[in-house]
Amino acid sequence: MAVLATFVFGGLLFAVLGKDPVEALQTIFWQPIFGEYAFYYRPQLLIKGAPLVLIAIGLSLGFKAGIWNIGAEGQYIMGAIFGAAAGLAFYPAEGWYVFPLMVIAGAFGGWLWAMIPAILKVRFGTNEILVSLMLVYVAEQFLASMSLGLLKNPEGYGFPGSRNLQQYAPAHNAELFAGSGMHWGVVAALIAVIFAYVLLTKHRLGFAIRVTGEAPRAARFSGVNPARLVLFCLGTSGLLAGLAGMFEVSGPSGQITIDFNVGYGFTAIIVAFLGRLHPIGILLAGGLMALTYIGGDIAQSNLGLPAAAIQVFQGMLLFFLLALDVLTHYRLRIGAAEAV
């Protein structure tokens, strides 16, 4: 119902903008898969969907436990910076070890950035929502500093940005099969889905996560350590977001630039809730959201839809999902107020 409501009100939005709503929706959801140039757009579903799924899986673990990491965008940025820095530190050396070290560095960068709100919450009781969100803006400034400073390409004629990692073979996250869109980031996303599913359904830690989110008092009585859970959930979500950033900068993006981040960390929140915080649901939701990214780009070029309209359309998915979730658990009663 949430998806249907999004289609209806999204169609109204496109109509207000002077576009044919049926044509706009068809362009967004049909053209990338079955259109004339679908052979080009289908691989993009994996490229766009992988970072969303990877980040959303990490976020879902915390959300299930009532731990709210809203700063995955910052952790994504830091993972990209750490990963790129590790690769560029070896330039122009040739060696199989470069990319694995970049993976470790990217994961560490995201984990380190997530541990700031985690430790502050455990030690001082701060609000992880505010701290993690504010750290996004710090990470963006750090990204700009790296693009103009330490990671700036010395052969870039003064332009901001690092060397292009796509042109440095040992550091390039290339497609595993040419033209498929499948790269190591996609593999990592699939592994994360399997890991999260096993953790939540078969492991004691997954049980602790679910119980903490559904019945905090019961969790305390069962011996769950809240501090350890906060550190694990925020650390894991930061680690996966950092991996997503590293795979992106070494693959599709290619370099550290001022505008490297495109909002994957925030969009992943929609993916997590659209997938009902379930690993399989997140995998499907990531594909759907990737479809709106690709279809939105087509609609912008073919129909002249503004980018903001596509972002509003994506936001409608989360809005209607949460709104209908409320109506699932609560009823609206129309009647006279009872006298006190």
Side-chain angles (χ1 to χ4, degrees):
M1 289 183 67
V3 173
L4 181 61
T6 303
F7 281 8
V8 172
F9 284 89
L12 291 175
L13 170 66
F14 299 144
V16 169
L17 293 173
K19 310 298 179 183
D20 183 346
V22 175
E23 184 182 8
L25 292 172
Q26 182 186 29
T27 300
I28 294 173
F29 292 101
W30 180 267
Q31 293 296 329
I33 302 177
F34 302 108
E36 182 180 0
Y37 300 102
F39 66 91
Y40 170 76
Y41 293 119
R42 288 193 196 112
Q44 296 296 317
L45 289 173
L46 295 179
I47 294 173
K48 295 288 188 182
L52 292 174
V53 172
L54 201 54
I55 299 171
I57 287 292
L59 293 178
S60 68
L61 297 178
F63 292 168
K64 268 188 173 293
I67 301 166
W68 305 97
N69 178 13
I70 309 299
E73 183 77 358
Q75 295 143 28
Y76 169 84
I77 292 171
M78 297 305 293
I81 292 174
F82 273 63
L88 293 172
F90 290 96
Y91 183 86
E94 299 285 337
W96 63 268
Y97 52 84
V98 174
F99 190 74
L101 288 176
M102 289 174 63
V103 172
I104 296 172
F108 176 74
W111 175 85
L112 184 67
W113 208 244
M115 291 308 290
I116 297 174
I119 293 174
L120 289 176
K121 180 177 178 64
V122 169
R123 185 68 180 84
F124 302 105
T126 59
N127 187 308
E128 74 276 16
I129 297 175
L130 295 176
V131 176
S132 63
L133 181 59
M134 292 300 101
L135 283 172
V136 173
Y137 302 102
V138 178
E140 288 178 342
Q141 296 304 312
F142 193 65
L143 175 68
S145 174
M146 291 296 102
S147 300
L148 296 166
L150 289 177
L151 296 183
K152 184 179 177 180
N153 184 1
E155 300 173 3
Y157 303 102
F159 290 98
S162 69
R163 294 182 185 273
N164 193 327
L165 295 175
Q166 294 177 350
Q167 299 172 2
Y168 179 33
H172 182 207
N173 178 26
E175 288 183 324
L176 300 177
F177 307 100
S180 67
M182 173 74 71
H183 57 70
W184 284 113
V186 178
V187 176
L190 294 175
I191 293 173
V193 169
I194 297 171
F195 165 79
Y197 181 81
V198 173
L199 175 68
L200 292 172
T201 59
K202 305 295 183 182
H203 199 276
R204 181 179 177 182
L205 180 58
F207 173 77
I209 290 172
R210 289 186 285 113
V211 170
T212 301
E214 296 171 7
R217 289 190 63 195
R220 287 195 295 271
F221 281 118
S222 65
V224 174
N225 188 319
R228 289 181 182 176
L229 202 61
V230 168
L231 293 174
F232 172 80
C233 289
L234 282 173
T236 302
S237 62
L239 184 149
L240 293 179
L243 280 177
M246 194 289 303
F247 287 126
E248 187 70 15
V249 76
S250 61
S253 176
Q255 62 179 150
I256 289 292
T257 59
I258 293 176
D259 56 352
F260 163 75
N261 57 310
V262 292
Y264 281 144
F266 294 119
T267 306
I269 298 173
I270 302 176
V271 172
F273 280 104
L274 189 61
R276 314 304 289 162
L277 304 183
H278 190 284
I280 305 301
I282 288 173
L283 182 63
L284 298 175
L288 176 63
M289 196 57 63
L291 189 61
T292 65
Y293 266 113
I294 299 166
D297 289 341
I298 299 173
Q300 288 178 56
S301 59
N302 292 357
L303 305 179
L305 275 174
I310 303 301
Q311 294 172 351
V312 170
F313 183 74
Q314 291 173 338
M316 283 182 179
L317 272 172
L318 180 60
F319 173 80
F320 284 114
L321 182 68
L322 297 179
L324 292 171
D325 220 22
V326 171
L327 296 178
T328 301
H329 293 89
Y330 300 95
R331 286 187 299 170
L332 295 177
R333 287 187 175 179
I334 300 175
E338 295 182 2
V340 179

